[in-house]
Amino acid sequence: MGVDPSPVRSSVAQPSLAQSLTLDPDEVDDRFVLGRLYGLLERLCTALRQQRRVCRHLVLTIRHSDHVEEAAQQTLPHSTCWEADLEPVLTRLFFRCFRRRVRLTHLTLSVTQLEPPAEQLSLFDEPEPAAPPRSHRLSLALDAIRAKFGERAVLWGKTRP
């Protein structure tokens, strides 16, 4: 009959994580800027794994030297906390945002719709769990090295300043 007796409540604030970077000097080189964005993505994914969360939404905001801001966002088909899953999405978002050939001064990358990872128990006994993909094992190994020796201990070539 179109009647809902439940009380009206304000929406709950969604948790999110963000990383920002100011480019000094301003930059216009795609490869350089993408390398910096991948570095931000690595830090976000590491934070997600440390908090035992996954994200479902990625938002990229760029600011040009003439103070014009552009933003692009995408909802992911499945929740993830792995760089290998998010890098192609980030690359598409960057080229969607960066259409003007005006130098960039600021980058902000954020992940939203955070939730705990879904863990499904098996109904039947499985003989041996499948090994995680190589990219996941590599990310975990890099996390361990950086936790022990510092964030700059190991860098990807594309993220190197």
Side-chain angles (χ1 to χ4, degrees):
M1 293 178 58
V3 177
D4 184 7
S6 61
V8 176
R9 297 186 178 139
S10 62
S11 62
V12 177
Q14 284 288 326
S16 66
L17 290 174
Q19 289 282 328
S20 295
L21 177 69
T22 300
L23 299 171
D24 186 28
D26 302 349
E27 191 58 56
V28 74
D29 182 22
D30 292 345
R31 285 184 13 188
F32 180 84
V33 175
L34 275 172
R36 296 300 169 271
L37 283 173
Y38 293 148
L40 294 177
L41 180 65
E42 278 186 324
R43 289 196 297 243
L44 281 174
C45 289
T46 300
L48 284 172
R49 288 190 291 272
Q50 288 172 346
Q51 296 177 11
R52 298 189 193 287
R53 291 182 175 183
V54 291
C55 70
R56 186 69 190 245
H57 194 80
L58 193 64
V59 181
L60 172 64
T61 306
I62 61 174
R63 186 181 317 137
H64 294 275
S65 60
D66 59 357
H67 302 290
V68 174
E69 282 196 6
E70 302 279 341
Q73 56 188 325
Q74 184 169 343
T75 301
L76 305 169
H78 61 280
S79 300
T80 186
C81 64
W82 303 105
E83 294 90 338
D85 298 336
L86 293 171
E87 271 188 33
V89 176
L90 177 59
T91 303
R92 283 193 303 274
L93 288 178
F94 174 71
F95 286 113
R96 200 179 321 155
C97 276
F98 191 48
R99 288 187 226 145
R100 301 173 59 223
R101 297 310 290 181
V102 177
R103 292 180 171 274
L104 297 177
T105 60
H106 193 79
L107 309 169
T108 302
L109 182 63
S110 56
V111 290
T112 59
Q113 296 182 9
L114 306 182
E115 54 196 36
E119 296 179 20
Q120 178 67 39
L121 297 175
S122 176
L123 182 60
F124 304 103
D125 289 334
E126 293 182 9
E128 185 70 29
R134 293 174 101 176
S135 61
H136 296 188
R137 292 192 315 255
L138 178 61
S139 293
L140 292 174
L142 290 174
D143 288 349
I145 291 170
R146 290 180 180 138
K148 187 172 183 177
F149 299 106
E151 188 175 320
R152 311 259 324 147
V154 177
L155 297 173
W156 288 96
K158 60 186 169 187
T159 64
R160 195 173 145 256

